[in-house]
Amino acid sequence: MAFQIVLNLIIAFVWMFLNNTWNGIGFLIGYMLGLLLIGGMRRFFPQRFYLVRVWAIFKLLLLLFKELVRASIGVIREIIKPRLDIRPGIFTYRTQLSSDWEVTLLCLLISLTPGSLPLEISGNQRKLFIHALDIKDEGKMRDDIQNTFEKAIMEVTR
């Protein structure tokens, strides 16, 4: 991925040099030309096209923002209620992520959303113990984590 980014920047600067236009528009045209060239020749690179991974990172950030807002509204709603109707608890979550930094990123994303906090990771890094502010349905919470955060992390890393 880094090689493709550097190659794209080199193409953009060479384009600016050949056209003798040292401005942002010239760079942008060269960068877009580099995207087309690298995209057309992507079968010659061992990694996938880097723009796919950049798009997956952007989607992960959007997902984090959406979940952060949704969970914050849920916590505020519980605080404002005159009577607390929550069932805090701890549940286990089995992850399909394999590398250390994937599991770490999952734990960070879970802890950034209000109302949930990973407490411990098992020795084989396959099981997380998560404390939740309100556990109504453990299966739904597991599915939410798997279908949102874990899926987005896999798109970025694999």
Side-chain angles (χ1 to χ4, degrees):
M1 181 173 137
F3 174 72
Q4 292 177 9
I5 293 172
V6 171
L7 182 62
N8 200 357
L9 290 174
I10 290 172
I11 291 170
F13 282 115
V14 167
W15 178 262
M16 286 175 31
F17 179 73
L18 291 175
N19 285 321
N20 201 17
T21 57
W22 293 95
N23 55 22
I25 300 295
F27 178 79
L28 188 61
I29 292 171
Y31 193 82
M32 296 304 239
L33 181 67
L35 281 176
L36 290 174
L37 287 173
I38 294 172
M41 296 174 31
R42 68 179 175 262
R43 67 181 188 161
F44 297 110
F45 297 110
Q47 305 91 6
R48 63 182 176 173
F49 187 45
Y50 81 93
L51 214 53
V52 173
R53 184 169 287 179
V54 170
W55 179 250
I57 291 170
F58 180 72
K59 287 189 329 188
L60 178 65
L61 290 174
L62 283 178
L63 173 71
L64 171 65
F65 182 71
K66 181 189 90 166
E67 290 293 322
L68 189 62
V69 168
R70 189 175 66 92
S72 296
I73 290 171
V75 169
I76 290 170
R77 199 176 286 149
E78 290 296 329
I79 291 172
I80 291 176
K81 283 184 182 176
R83 186 180 137 183
L84 281 177
D85 187 25
I86 59 173
R87 290 174 292 227
I90 298 172
F91 68 97
T92 59
Y93 175 73
R94 289 197 175 274
T95 183
Q96 298 173 356
L97 302 175
S98 56
S99 71
D100 290 343
W101 76 276
E102 287 176 336
V103 174
T104 303
L105 183 60
L106 178 64
C107 287
L108 288 172
L109 291 174
I110 290 172
S111 66
L112 281 177
T113 56
S116 60
L117 179 71
L119 298 174
E120 187 175 348
I121 303 172
S122 67
N124 62 359
Q125 295 185 351
R126 291 290 191 187
K127 192 186 295 185
L128 302 173
F129 298 96
I130 301 172
H131 179 273
L133 183 65
D134 190 14
I135 299 181
K136 290 182 179 141
D137 185 13
E138 287 184 34
K140 183 181 180 305
M141 293 184 83
R142 285 187 189 103
D143 290 342
D144 286 345
I145 292 172
Q146 184 177 14
N147 294 329
T148 56
F149 291 138
E150 191 166 334
K151 183 179 172 186
I153 291 171
M154 284 186 193
E155 286 180 9
V156 170
T157 59
R158 297 177 185 174

